Amino acid sequence: MSDYQLDDELRDALREVTNVAMGRAADLLARLLDTYVVLPIPVVNLLERSELNMALSSLRSVSSVSAVCQGFVGSRISGEALLIFNDTSFADIAELTSYSGDVTPEIELELLMDIANILIGACLKGLAEQLDLTFSQGQPVLLGQHVNIEDLVRNSSSGWQRALTVEIPYRLEGHSVDCDLLLLFTEDSINVLENKIHYLME
């Protein structure tokens, strides 16, 4: 599998399927926060672990981030979802959720977990429904608060070295809220995922 190359057909099909799933997640977030969610086209790549921090386009120049990781598995497809927030986002998120107190690290963590549950859960559900499978999700785990991207990738406990990645940058219009949802599928999952997507597209 180490010599596997991502073909354009699979890349385009996975992008299309993800588009539908991320739209559902964005709709839930928009209704929760009563604001418009800007959605670019998802970015699909086959990446080495060392390349991950370079792939985070919307957060590449950010000095400090906070992130949650949640594993998922189903029908011989496994991976993890990372939700990575620009740390400047939390004041705006607190305002949008009508929280009026001090935004302490504990409150930031609560906001991070709440939004992670919405975006990761809805996105995985949207993918699973289209591909006719069911994902079991692990408990969300805090990867770090107020750390840089390099430390975040280094601190990740999972053992993958190469993964099929889908990057979904979310931005709230008119607010300083930027986050990246990253879906990382293990190498062992790629053939199964490819078969599922080809069957869907026939």
Side-chain angles (χ1 to χ4, degrees):
M1 182 64 73
S2 59
D3 295 327
Y4 180 90
Q5 298 298 315
L6 184 62
D7 65 60
D8 290 339
E9 185 180 356
L10 177 59
R11 188 193 304 271
D12 291 344
L14 186 54
R15 189 182 291 132
E16 188 175 326
V17 170
T18 306
N19 237 339
V20 174
M22 66 190 265
R24 295 181 187 182
D27 181 60
L28 282 175
L29 187 63
R31 279 188 276 154
L32 173 72
L33 301 178
D34 193 25
T35 190
Y36 181 71
V37 179
V38 180
L39 285 177
I41 296 172
V43 180
V44 180
N45 279 307
L46 194 61
L47 293 180
E48 303 290 338
R49 188 185 185 94
S50 59
E51 298 172 315
L52 181 58
N53 61 315
M54 294 303 294
L56 299 169
S57 56
S58 69
L59 299 174
R60 198 174 296 154
S61 60
V62 174
S63 60
S64 178
V65 298
S66 297
V68 169
C69 171
Q70 189 168 18
F72 59 88
V73 62
S75 302
R76 294 185 294 124
I77 296 173
S78 61
E80 58 186 13
L82 305 182
L83 186 67
I84 306 172
F85 263 94
N86 176 353
D87 278 340
T88 61
S89 300
F90 288 110
D92 272 31
I93 294 171
E95 181 183 331
L96 287 164
T97 55
S98 302
Y99 178 79
S100 56
D102 292 334
V103 184
T104 63
E106 291 75 20
I107 294 299
E108 288 181 355
L109 179 58
E110 191 176 314
L111 293 169
L112 182 64
M113 289 295 188
D114 285 348
I115 293 179
N117 280 329
I118 292 168
L119 289 182
I120 295 173
C123 198
L124 288 178
K125 184 179 179 183
L127 282 175
E129 287 176 354
Q130 292 177 84
L131 299 176
D132 193 27
L133 52 87
T134 302
F135 285 128
S136 297
Q137 295 171 229
Q139 290 296 315
V141 175
L142 178 69
L143 282 184
Q145 280 181 280
H146 309 296
V147 298
N148 62 44
I149 292 284
E150 288 79 7
D151 288 341
L152 189 69
V153 175
R154 198 179 303 122
N155 291 344
S156 177
S157 59
S158 56
W160 67 273
Q161 294 303 318
R162 199 166 186 244
L164 177 62
T165 66
V166 182
E167 181 193 359
I168 308 167
Y170 286 89
R171 184 170 59 83
L172 302 188
E173 189 172 74
H175 300 277
S176 297
V177 179
D178 293 287
C179 65
D180 268 38
L181 175 58
L182 217 73
L183 302 179
L184 307 171
F185 296 94
T186 63
E187 276 194 276
D188 293 341
S189 304
I190 295 176
N191 283 338
V192 183
L193 189 61
E194 189 170 20
N195 290 336
K196 288 277 187 184
I197 288 176
H198 282 162
Y199 181 78
L200 176 68
M201 295 300 170
E202 285 178 356

